[in-house]
Amino acid sequence: MSIKQSIFDDLLKKKIIPDGSQKKLINIFDHFYSKEKKYFSKFFKKPNFLYIYGDVGRGKTFLMDIFYEHYLGKKNRIHYHNFMKKIHDDLKANQGIKDPIAHFCKTLKNQIDILFLDEFNITDITDAMIMQKILINLDKYKISLITTSNYLPDNLYKHGLQRERFLPSIQWIKDNFTIHQLNNDNDYRRTFLSSSNVFYFHEKENVKENFLKIFNKLSHSSEKKTISIDNRNIAIEMESDNVVWFDFDEICGGFRSTRDYIKIAEIYSSVMISTVPCFFSNNDDIRRRFTWLIDALYDKNRKVIINFEKELKEIFYSTDNPEINRTLSRLIEMQSKKYLLN
């Protein structure tokens, strides 16, 4: 049975009918997996790079993950934030090496033939320059790459500082990747939703009392008032072996990084966040940290219980921002029984 037929059968079992754009992507996967030429085929401009982009909730990650499940070679699937964390940790550990990024990719080649990278998104010039070298070395060591993104390559790191330094990388992506847009009118994260009582709105009084009841149903608290992430203390409301409760100001109001949130997602299966405010353009820094936190928790399929100041559709200042739309879409999915039971 071809990889294409296996994916279609899998979708049929899930009662999902792919649209035209999704069928085309599945055909691309089939070519990519071609046994005749191992992982490569003439279908690609460059044999081993595929860039899938489109609006939030269009099935990019969903379809990539199904292909990942059916792919039988040496592989790794990782979120972009986690991947960059691994790179930064490796660079720190190998400071004396002449070309540490080439060393990282050469080592990676010994482990995998193909990298599945979810949510490709450049957020600062340092990562932009690192990623430029990573892509070149993935090509050098013949490591196949499939990545998803909310952004057309031309819109990566748009309005970022010193973006002109990243423009050659964008051109390299356009020259060397097969680029496929996945778009339709449906947000598949909303399709199979059934509301679950994990989000609470408009509660200004008795928030702690109500959250304490929820926490006690989930676990038994320790006496700890702080946790240590990368040797930095973060204040908490309550914590147990696999559940932690933060006040929003503590987890998103200070100087936190994606590394902090990735570590939290690795440690805890359930995360509670109380008193999430409305986000405006003048407090976009805390909104972005909240986005990073939700990304990290979503990627690990962690459960969240959140108290919001207002309804979801009212807490964000804009619906024209892809980051905001992705966060909103994921928050909606994270309430669903399907997500909670996964």
Side-chain angles (χ1 to χ4, degrees):
M1 183 183 295
S2 69
I3 195 79
K4 176 169 67 173
Q5 191 58 52
S6 296
I7 293 173
F8 279 126
D9 288 349
D10 201 352
L11 292 175
L12 185 62
K13 291 176 184 177
K14 299 176 189 293
K15 298 182 179 179
I16 296 173
I17 301 174
D19 60 31
S21 179
Q22 292 168 334
K23 288 178 181 177
K24 185 175 180 180
L25 178 59
I26 294 168
N27 284 327
I28 292 174
F29 288 153
D30 194 53
H31 284 284
F32 194 93
Y33 194 73
S34 172
K35 291 182 180 179
E36 182 179 340
K37 295 185 178 180
K38 290 189 176 181
Y39 317 116
F40 316 131
S41 76
K42 294 179 180 178
F43 189 88
F44 291 91
K45 296 178 187 175
K46 192 74 174 177
N48 52 343
F49 292 102
L50 172 61
Y51 186 103
I52 308 162
Y53 79 96
D55 293 336
V56 296
R58 280 9 182 200
K60 301 182 299 294
T61 298
F62 176 73
L63 287 173
M64 184 184 76
D65 286 348
I66 288 180
F67 182 45
Y68 175 83
E69 291 172 6
H70 288 279
Y71 187 89
L72 300 178
K74 294 189 296 182
K75 60 189 177 181
N76 185 31
R77 190 269 191 209
I78 190 168
H79 190 276
Y80 173 78
H81 290 328
N82 296 41
F83 184 65
M84 294 309 298
K85 177 181 180 297
K86 285 186 65 173
I87 292 171
H88 283 290
D89 288 345
D90 194 81
L91 293 179
K92 185 177 180 181
N94 293 288
Q95 291 182 6
I97 294 177
K98 183 178 179 180
D99 191 344
I101 292 179
H103 176 267
F104 174 87
C105 292
K106 187 176 181 180
T107 303
L108 192 64
K109 177 59 180 176
N110 294 329
Q111 302 166 357
I112 64 171
D113 295 317
I114 180 170
L115 176 66
F116 292 76
L117 187 63
D118 193 30
E119 299 287 0
F120 186 97
N121 178 27
I122 303 298
T123 57
D124 63 68
I125 191 60
T126 300
D127 284 355
M129 295 297 96
I130 290 174
M131 202 63 204
Q132 176 177 317
K133 294 180 180 179
I134 287 288
L135 291 174
I136 292 171
N137 278 279
L138 289 178
D139 187 32
K140 177 182 177 180
Y141 291 105
K142 302 302 179 186
I143 299 173
S144 302
L145 174 64
I146 296 178
T147 189
T148 68
S149 179
N150 291 329
Y151 301 89
L152 179 74
D154 280 326
N155 291 336
L156 285 168
Y157 197 45
K158 197 171 185 178
H159 308 305
L161 293 174
Q162 302 179 39
R163 186 176 186 261
E164 66 278 1
R165 296 176 59 192
F166 185 61
L167 293 179
S169 299
I170 292 176
Q171 189 59 50
W172 195 94
I173 290 171
K174 291 163 67 176
D175 290 343
N176 292 279
F177 277 74
T178 292
I179 299 171
H180 179 71
Q181 182 180 18
L182 197 62
N183 244 340
N184 49 60
D185 294 329
N186 299 313
D187 185 333
Y188 288 93
R189 291 194 185 126
R190 300 171 188 250
T191 304
F192 302 104
L193 290 182
S194 56
S195 295
S196 302
N197 202 26
V198 292
F199 290 176
Y200 300 83
F201 306 97
H202 306 291
E203 293 186 5
K204 293 184 179 180
E205 298 180 0
N206 303 321
V207 171
K208 287 195 173 184
E209 180 182 342
N210 292 336
F211 262 48
L212 179 59
K213 292 178 181 177
I214 296 168
F215 186 94
N216 288 333
K217 289 180 181 179
L218 294 172
S219 188
H220 300 285
S221 70
S222 68
E223 298 298 319
K224 293 168 67 173
K225 292 299 179 184
T226 63
I227 58 172
S228 179
I229 302 293
D230 283 344
N231 299 315
R232 293 190 298 146
N233 288 336
I234 301 177
I236 59 171
E237 297 293 326
M238 293 208 142
E239 189 256 10
S240 71
D241 288 340
N242 59 1
V243 183
V244 66
W245 169 12
F246 298 104
D247 181 79
F248 176 84
D249 286 342
E250 291 295 339
I251 193 59
C252 295
F255 293 102
R256 307 290 175 213
S257 69
T258 56
R259 293 168 62 92
D260 297 329
Y261 301 137
I262 290 168
K263 190 68 175 179
I264 288 167
E266 290 173 349
I267 297 172
Y268 300 102
S269 62
S270 297
V271 175
M272 301 174 62
I273 310 166
S274 51
T275 61
V276 175
C278 292
F279 301 109
F280 303 97
S281 57
N282 64 354
N283 69 352
D284 195 53
D285 54 338
I286 62 172
R287 191 278 308 162
R288 174 160 287 183
R289 285 192 284 272
F290 182 64
T291 288
W292 293 343
L293 174 58
I294 294 301
D295 280 347
L297 296 173
Y298 179 88
D299 192 56
K300 289 288 187 180
N301 197 54
R302 300 316 189 198
K303 311 306 182 274
V304 293
I305 299 95
I306 308 178
N307 166 248
F308 293 95
E309 181 180 340
K310 291 187 177 181
E311 300 288 335
L312 284 181
K313 63 182 180 180
E314 300 176 39
I315 66 168
F316 295 107
Y317 64 88
S318 170
T319 56
D320 294 327
N321 183 317
E323 275 193 350
I324 289 176
N325 288 338
R326 182 178 78 241
T327 305
L328 183 58
S329 179
R330 289 184 165 182
L331 286 170
I332 291 169
E333 181 183 353
M334 291 167 97
Q335 299 176 82
S336 70
K337 288 183 179 178
K338 183 179 179 181
Y339 180 92
L340 294 170
L341 292 173
N342 187 2

